[in-house]
Amino acid sequence: MKNSIKSIFKLLGAVVLTVFVLSACSKDDDPADNDLFVGTYKGHVTYITDGENIDKKDGTVRVVKVGNNYNFVFSDNIPDITGVEFEKKGDNSVINIGSSDTHYISIDNSKLVIAYAKDGKVWTANANR
């Protein structure tokens, strides 16, 4: 009887350990689904519009996640880019949906690249974290 109780406890312990290990090692935990890209990136930022040209080699872009979209908050009185949707580009990076010659934003955990034009305004960024 003692041996059967020990066997039950061993089996129960093995089941609990297996459940713990499997839940901790989930392959469904994709960095692109998390807030991995949220933060401040520092580097070269520009903004061009009629009568205004801002070019800062030491500018910043703060990436903020709002729901499923991202906002890009620029330093140096550069207007923000808001409401950008992303799709996976690789294992640990994303690119904006509808990316084209006039709308390109690529981001990963260490680099942000923006080449974005809208309504006669142009934003660029080449920044690192």
Side-chain angles (χ1 to χ4, degrees), residues 40-46 55-61 74-76 78 111-112 124-129:
T40 301
Y41 294 76
K42 298 177 183 180
H44 190 196
V45 297
T46 66
D55 187 339
K56 298 291 183 178
K57 290 188 182 349
D58 59 349
T60 62
V61 181
F74 287 80
S75 64
D76 304 295
I78 297 174
K111 182 135 182 95
L112 170 67
T124 67
N126 188 356
N128 297 300
R129 210 175 358 180

PDB file of all heavy atoms in Angstrom, residues 40-46 55-61 74-76 78 111-112 124-129:
ATOM      1  N   THR A  40      11.682  53.836 -27.181  1.00  0.00           N
ATOM      2  CA  THR A  40      12.267  54.991 -27.855  1.00  0.00           C
ATOM      3  C   THR A  40      13.465  54.559 -28.696  1.00  0.00           C
ATOM      4  O   THR A  40      14.349  53.851 -28.222  1.00  0.00           O
ATOM      5  CB  THR A  40      12.706  56.051 -26.828  1.00  0.00           C
ATOM      6  OG1 THR A  40      11.555  56.435 -26.068  1.00  0.00           O
ATOM      7  CG2 THR A  40      13.282  57.273 -27.508  1.00  0.00           C
ATOM      8  N   TYR A  41      13.449  55.001 -29.943  1.00  0.00           N
ATOM      9  CA  TYR A  41      14.530  54.750 -30.889  1.00  0.00           C
ATOM     10  C   TYR A  41      15.235  56.080 -31.158  1.00  0.00           C
ATOM     11  O   TYR A  41      14.568  57.098 -31.337  1.00  0.00           O
ATOM     12  CB  TYR A  41      13.976  54.166 -32.191  1.00  0.00           C
ATOM     13  CG  TYR A  41      13.367  52.794 -32.021  1.00  0.00           C
ATOM     14  CD1 TYR A  41      12.110  52.627 -31.446  1.00  0.00           C
ATOM     15  CD2 TYR A  41      14.057  51.664 -32.422  1.00  0.00           C
ATOM     16  CE1 TYR A  41      11.560  51.365 -31.283  1.00  0.00           C
ATOM     17  CE2 TYR A  41      13.508  50.393 -32.269  1.00  0.00           C
ATOM     18  CZ  TYR A  41      12.260  50.261 -31.691  1.00  0.00           C
ATOM     19  OH  TYR A  41      11.716  49.011 -31.530  1.00  0.00           O
ATOM     20  N   LYS A  42      16.553  56.069 -31.192  1.00  0.00           N
ATOM     21  CA  LYS A  42      17.334  57.290 -31.382  1.00  0.00           C
ATOM     22  C   LYS A  42      18.134  57.207 -32.675  1.00  0.00           C
ATOM     23  O   LYS A  42      18.710  56.171 -32.982  1.00  0.00           O
ATOM     24  CB  LYS A  42      18.284  57.496 -30.202  1.00  0.00           C
ATOM     25  CG  LYS A  42      17.566  57.680 -28.894  1.00  0.00           C
ATOM     26  CD  LYS A  42      18.532  57.800 -27.745  1.00  0.00           C
ATOM     27  CE  LYS A  42      17.737  57.917 -26.449  1.00  0.00           C
ATOM     28  NZ  LYS A  42      18.594  58.034 -25.280  1.00  0.00           N
ATOM     29  N   GLY A  43      18.149  58.324 -33.416  1.00  0.00           N
ATOM     30  CA  GLY A  43      18.906  58.343 -34.658  1.00  0.00           C
ATOM     31  C   GLY A  43      18.523  59.515 -35.530  1.00  0.00           C
ATOM     32  O   GLY A  43      18.041  60.542 -35.054  1.00  0.00           O
ATOM     33  N   HIS A  44      18.693  59.363 -36.835  1.00  0.00           N
ATOM     34  CA  HIS A  44      18.468  60.428 -37.809  1.00  0.00           C
ATOM     35  C   HIS A  44      16.978  60.474 -38.175  1.00  0.00           C
ATOM     36  O   HIS A  44      16.423  59.497 -38.667  1.00  0.00           O
ATOM     37  CB  HIS A  44      19.317  60.163 -39.047  1.00  0.00           C
ATOM     38  CG  HIS A  44      19.348  61.305 -40.001  1.00  0.00           C
ATOM     39  ND1 HIS A  44      19.775  61.148 -41.297  1.00  0.00           N
ATOM     40  CD2 HIS A  44      19.006  62.612 -39.890  1.00  0.00           C
ATOM     41  CE1 HIS A  44      19.702  62.312 -41.926  1.00  0.00           C
ATOM     42  NE2 HIS A  44      19.223  63.199 -41.085  1.00  0.00           N
ATOM     43  N   VAL A  45      16.339  61.631 -37.942  1.00  0.00           N
ATOM     44  CA  VAL A  45      14.931  61.823 -38.300  1.00  0.00           C
ATOM     45  C   VAL A  45      14.796  63.083 -39.144  1.00  0.00           C
ATOM     46  O   VAL A  45      15.529  64.055 -38.948  1.00  0.00           O
ATOM     47  CB  VAL A  45      14.015  61.918 -37.052  1.00  0.00           C
ATOM     48  CG1 VAL A  45      14.031  60.628 -36.261  1.00  0.00           C
ATOM     49  CG2 VAL A  45      14.391  63.084 -36.161  1.00  0.00           C
ATOM     50  N   THR A  46      13.875  63.024 -40.115  1.00  0.00           N
ATOM     51  CA  THR A  46      13.616  64.203 -40.939  1.00  0.00           C
ATOM     52  C   THR A  46      12.119  64.364 -41.147  1.00  0.00           C
ATOM     53  O   THR A  46      11.354  63.397 -41.057  1.00  0.00           O
ATOM     54  CB  THR A  46      14.295  64.114 -42.325  1.00  0.00           C
ATOM     55  OG1 THR A  46      13.712  63.052 -43.070  1.00  0.00           O
ATOM     56  CG2 THR A  46      15.785  63.907 -42.214  1.00  0.00           C
ATOM     57  N   ASP A  55      15.708  68.421 -39.980  1.00  0.00           N
ATOM     58  CA  ASP A  55      16.677  67.346 -40.190  1.00  0.00           C
ATOM     59  C   ASP A  55      17.535  67.240 -38.934  1.00  0.00           C
ATOM     60  O   ASP A  55      18.379  68.099 -38.683  1.00  0.00           O
ATOM     61  CB  ASP A  55      17.527  67.663 -41.420  1.00  0.00           C
ATOM     62  CG  ASP A  55      18.451  66.526 -41.818  1.00  0.00           C
ATOM     63  OD1 ASP A  55      18.758  65.654 -40.967  1.00  0.00           O
ATOM     64  OD2 ASP A  55      18.871  66.498 -42.980  1.00  0.00           O
ATOM     65  N   LYS A  56      17.315  66.207 -38.134  1.00  0.00           N
ATOM     66  CA  LYS A  56      18.029  66.029 -36.875  1.00  0.00           C
ATOM     67  C   LYS A  56      18.758  64.688 -36.859  1.00  0.00           C
ATOM     68  O   LYS A  56      18.144  63.642 -36.976  1.00  0.00           O
ATOM     69  CB  LYS A  56      17.054  66.076 -35.684  1.00  0.00           C
ATOM     70  CG  LYS A  56      16.343  67.392 -35.536  1.00  0.00           C
ATOM     71  CD  LYS A  56      17.313  68.466 -35.113  1.00  0.00           C
ATOM     72  CE  LYS A  56      16.581  69.775 -34.902  1.00  0.00           C
ATOM     73  NZ  LYS A  56      17.419  70.840 -34.447  1.00  0.00           N
ATOM     74  N   LYS A  57      20.061  64.751 -36.726  1.00  0.00           N
ATOM     75  CA  LYS A  57      20.856  63.522 -36.671  1.00  0.00           C
ATOM     76  C   LYS A  57      20.734  62.827 -35.322  1.00  0.00           C
ATOM     77  O   LYS A  57      21.006  61.636 -35.200  1.00  0.00           O
ATOM     78  CB  LYS A  57      22.318  63.839 -36.967  1.00  0.00           C
ATOM     79  CG  LYS A  57      22.547  64.220 -38.414  1.00  0.00           C
ATOM     80  CD  LYS A  57      24.015  64.340 -38.703  1.00  0.00           C
ATOM     81  CE  LYS A  57      24.418  64.751 -40.022  1.00  0.00           C
ATOM     82  NZ  LYS A  57      23.912  64.923 -41.176  1.00  0.00           N
ATOM     83  N   ASP A  58      20.315  63.563 -34.284  1.00  0.00           N
ATOM     84  CA  ASP A  58      20.187  62.976 -32.953  1.00  0.00           C
ATOM     85  C   ASP A  58      18.742  63.059 -32.450  1.00  0.00           C
ATOM     86  O   ASP A  58      18.489  63.323 -31.287  1.00  0.00           O
ATOM     87  CB  ASP A  58      21.132  63.651 -31.973  1.00  0.00           C
ATOM     88  CG  ASP A  58      20.878  65.154 -31.849  1.00  0.00           C
ATOM     89  OD1 ASP A  58      20.115  65.703 -32.670  1.00  0.00           O
ATOM     90  OD2 ASP A  58      21.420  65.770 -30.922  1.00  0.00           O
ATOM     91  N   GLY A  59      17.789  62.807 -33.323  1.00  0.00           N
ATOM     92  CA  GLY A  59      16.378  62.839 -32.958  1.00  0.00           C
ATOM     93  C   GLY A  59      15.923  61.526 -32.336  1.00  0.00           C
ATOM     94  O   GLY A  59      16.679  60.552 -32.253  1.00  0.00           O
ATOM     95  N   THR A  60      14.669  61.520 -31.912  1.00  0.00           N
ATOM     96  CA  THR A  60      14.092  60.307 -31.338  1.00  0.00           C
ATOM     97  C   THR A  60      12.702  60.063 -31.921  1.00  0.00           C
ATOM     98  O   THR A  60      12.024  60.988 -32.359  1.00  0.00           O
ATOM     99  CB  THR A  60      13.966  60.390 -29.805  1.00  0.00           C
ATOM    100  OG1 THR A  60      13.088  61.456 -29.461  1.00  0.00           O
ATOM    101  CG2 THR A  60      15.311  60.577 -29.146  1.00  0.00           C
ATOM    102  N   VAL A  61      12.331  58.796 -31.907  1.00  0.00           N
ATOM    103  CA  VAL A  61      10.974  58.387 -32.259  1.00  0.00           C
ATOM    104  C   VAL A  61      10.515  57.433 -31.157  1.00  0.00           C
ATOM    105  O   VAL A  61      11.160  56.415 -30.907  1.00  0.00           O
ATOM    106  CB  VAL A  61      10.899  57.666 -33.620  1.00  0.00           C
ATOM    107  CG1 VAL A  61       9.463  57.288 -33.938  1.00  0.00           C
ATOM    108  CG2 VAL A  61      11.491  58.521 -34.726  1.00  0.00           C
ATOM    109  N   PHE A  74       7.458  61.718 -32.745  1.00  0.00           N
ATOM    110  CA  PHE A  74       8.771  62.250 -33.098  1.00  0.00           C
ATOM    111  C   PHE A  74       9.183  63.379 -32.161  1.00  0.00           C
ATOM    112  O   PHE A  74       8.348  64.117 -31.642  1.00  0.00           O
ATOM    113  CB  PHE A  74       8.744  62.796 -34.527  1.00  0.00           C
ATOM    114  CG  PHE A  74       8.712  61.740 -35.594  1.00  0.00           C
ATOM    115  CD1 PHE A  74       7.534  61.098 -35.925  1.00  0.00           C
ATOM    116  CD2 PHE A  74       9.864  61.395 -36.281  1.00  0.00           C
ATOM    117  CE1 PHE A  74       7.501  60.130 -36.919  1.00  0.00           C
ATOM    118  CE2 PHE A  74       9.844  60.435 -37.278  1.00  0.00           C
ATOM    119  CZ  PHE A  74       8.661  59.800 -37.585  1.00  0.00           C
ATOM    120  N   SER A  75      10.479  63.551 -32.017  1.00  0.00           N
ATOM    121  CA  SER A  75      11.035  64.696 -31.295  1.00  0.00           C
ATOM    122  C   SER A  75      11.089  65.906 -32.227  1.00  0.00           C
ATOM    123  O   SER A  75      10.720  65.814 -33.401  1.00  0.00           O
ATOM    124  CB  SER A  75      12.449  64.360 -30.798  1.00  0.00           C
ATOM    125  OG  SER A  75      13.322  64.138 -31.901  1.00  0.00           O
ATOM    126  N   ASP A  76      11.553  67.013 -31.717  1.00  0.00           N
ATOM    127  CA  ASP A  76      11.889  68.204 -32.509  1.00  0.00           C
ATOM    128  C   ASP A  76      10.700  68.801 -33.266  1.00  0.00           C
ATOM    129  O   ASP A  76      10.840  69.269 -34.396  1.00  0.00           O
ATOM    130  CB  ASP A  76      13.035  67.891 -33.484  1.00  0.00           C
ATOM    131  CG  ASP A  76      14.257  67.360 -32.758  1.00  0.00           C
ATOM    132  OD1 ASP A  76      14.836  68.122 -31.968  1.00  0.00           O
ATOM    133  OD2 ASP A  76      14.605  66.183 -32.951  1.00  0.00           O
ATOM    134  N   ILE A  78       8.296  67.514 -34.802  1.00  0.00           N
ATOM    135  CA  ILE A  78       7.856  66.800 -35.994  1.00  0.00           C
ATOM    136  C   ILE A  78       6.494  66.173 -35.682  1.00  0.00           C
ATOM    137  O   ILE A  78       6.344  65.518 -34.642  1.00  0.00           O
ATOM    138  CB  ILE A  78       8.873  65.707 -36.401  1.00  0.00           C
ATOM    139  CG1 ILE A  78      10.214  66.356 -36.780  1.00  0.00           C
ATOM    140  CG2 ILE A  78       8.331  64.847 -37.533  1.00  0.00           C
ATOM    141  CD1 ILE A  78      11.332  65.366 -37.051  1.00  0.00           C
ATOM    142  N   LYS A 111      15.852  48.165 -34.303  1.00  0.00           N
ATOM    143  CA  LYS A 111      15.982  49.111 -35.422  1.00  0.00           C
ATOM    144  C   LYS A 111      14.615  49.551 -35.921  1.00  0.00           C
ATOM    145  O   LYS A 111      13.698  48.753 -36.048  1.00  0.00           O
ATOM    146  CB  LYS A 111      16.758  48.467 -36.566  1.00  0.00           C
ATOM    147  CG  LYS A 111      16.986  49.383 -37.739  1.00  0.00           C
ATOM    148  CD  LYS A 111      18.406  49.278 -38.211  1.00  0.00           C
ATOM    149  CE  LYS A 111      18.707  50.211 -39.344  1.00  0.00           C
ATOM    150  NZ  LYS A 111      19.291  51.442 -38.886  1.00  0.00           N
ATOM    151  N   LEU A 112      14.524  50.835 -36.251  1.00  0.00           N
ATOM    152  CA  LEU A 112      13.313  51.429 -36.816  1.00  0.00           C
ATOM    153  C   LEU A 112      13.694  52.175 -38.088  1.00  0.00           C
ATOM    154  O   LEU A 112      14.617  52.994 -38.079  1.00  0.00           O
ATOM    155  CB  LEU A 112      12.684  52.406 -35.815  1.00  0.00           C
ATOM    156  CG  LEU A 112      11.547  53.285 -36.327  1.00  0.00           C
ATOM    157  CD1 LEU A 112      10.321  52.448 -36.672  1.00  0.00           C
ATOM    158  CD2 LEU A 112      11.195  54.348 -35.295  1.00  0.00           C
ATOM    159  N   THR A 124      11.028  60.668 -42.387  1.00  0.00           N
ATOM    160  CA  THR A 124      11.996  59.579 -42.471  1.00  0.00           C
ATOM    161  C   THR A 124      12.629  59.383 -41.098  1.00  0.00           C
ATOM    162  O   THR A 124      12.714  60.311 -40.290  1.00  0.00           O
ATOM    163  CB  THR A 124      13.125  59.835 -43.496  1.00  0.00           C
ATOM    164  OG1 THR A 124      13.937  60.911 -43.041  1.00  0.00           O
ATOM    165  CG2 THR A 124      12.566  60.115 -44.872  1.00  0.00           C
ATOM    166  N   ALA A 125      13.059  58.163 -40.858  1.00  0.00           N
ATOM    167  CA  ALA A 125      13.791  57.852 -39.633  1.00  0.00           C
ATOM    168  C   ALA A 125      14.677  56.652 -39.900  1.00  0.00           C
ATOM    169  O   ALA A 125      14.280  55.717 -40.601  1.00  0.00           O
ATOM    170  CB  ALA A 125      12.843  57.561 -38.481  1.00  0.00           C
ATOM    171  N   ASN A 126      15.873  56.701 -39.367  1.00  0.00           N
ATOM    172  CA  ASN A 126      16.803  55.586 -39.353  1.00  0.00           C
ATOM    173  C   ASN A 126      17.368  55.573 -37.948  1.00  0.00           C
ATOM    174  O   ASN A 126      18.320  56.302 -37.649  1.00  0.00           O
ATOM    175  CB  ASN A 126      17.881  55.749 -40.406  1.00  0.00           C
ATOM    176  CG  ASN A 126      18.735  54.521 -40.544  1.00  0.00           C
ATOM    177  OD1 ASN A 126      18.584  53.552 -39.797  1.00  0.00           O
ATOM    178  ND2 ASN A 126      19.653  54.547 -41.487  1.00  0.00           N
ATOM    179  N   ALA A 127      16.741  54.779 -37.069  1.00  0.00           N
ATOM    180  CA  ALA A 127      17.043  54.893 -35.640  1.00  0.00           C
ATOM    181  C   ALA A 127      17.255  53.523 -35.021  1.00  0.00           C
ATOM    182  O   ALA A 127      16.748  52.507 -35.515  1.00  0.00           O
ATOM    183  CB  ALA A 127      15.914  55.632 -34.944  1.00  0.00           C
ATOM    184  N   ASN A 128      17.986  53.510 -33.921  1.00  0.00           N
ATOM    185  CA  ASN A 128      18.279  52.286 -33.178  1.00  0.00           C
ATOM    186  C   ASN A 128      17.887  52.456 -31.725  1.00  0.00           C
ATOM    187  O   ASN A 128      17.763  53.553 -31.224  1.00  0.00           O
ATOM    188  CB  ASN A 128      19.781  51.967 -33.242  1.00  0.00           C
ATOM    189  CG  ASN A 128      20.232  51.710 -34.651  1.00  0.00           C
ATOM    190  OD1 ASN A 128      19.762  50.802 -35.311  1.00  0.00           O
ATOM    191  ND2 ASN A 128      21.141  52.539 -35.137  1.00  0.00           N
ATOM    192  N   ARG A 129      17.743  51.320 -31.073  1.00  0.00           N
ATOM    193  CA  ARG A 129      17.439  51.326 -29.647  1.00  0.00           C
ATOM    194  C   ARG A 129      18.645  50.864 -28.871  1.00  0.00           C
ATOM    195  O   ARG A 129      19.411  50.065 -29.278  1.00  0.00           O
ATOM    196  CB  ARG A 129      16.285  50.382 -29.372  1.00  0.00           C
ATOM    197  CG  ARG A 129      15.497  50.809 -28.223  1.00  0.00           C
ATOM    198  CD  ARG A 129      14.270  50.124 -27.837  1.00  0.00           C
ATOM    199  NE  ARG A 129      13.756  49.030 -28.592  1.00  0.00           N
ATOM    200  CZ  ARG A 129      12.663  48.416 -28.235  1.00  0.00           C
ATOM    201  NH1 ARG A 129      12.005  48.803 -27.177  1.00  0.00           N
ATOM    202  NH2 ARG A 129      12.185  47.423 -28.923  1.00  0.00           N
TER     203      ARG A 129
END
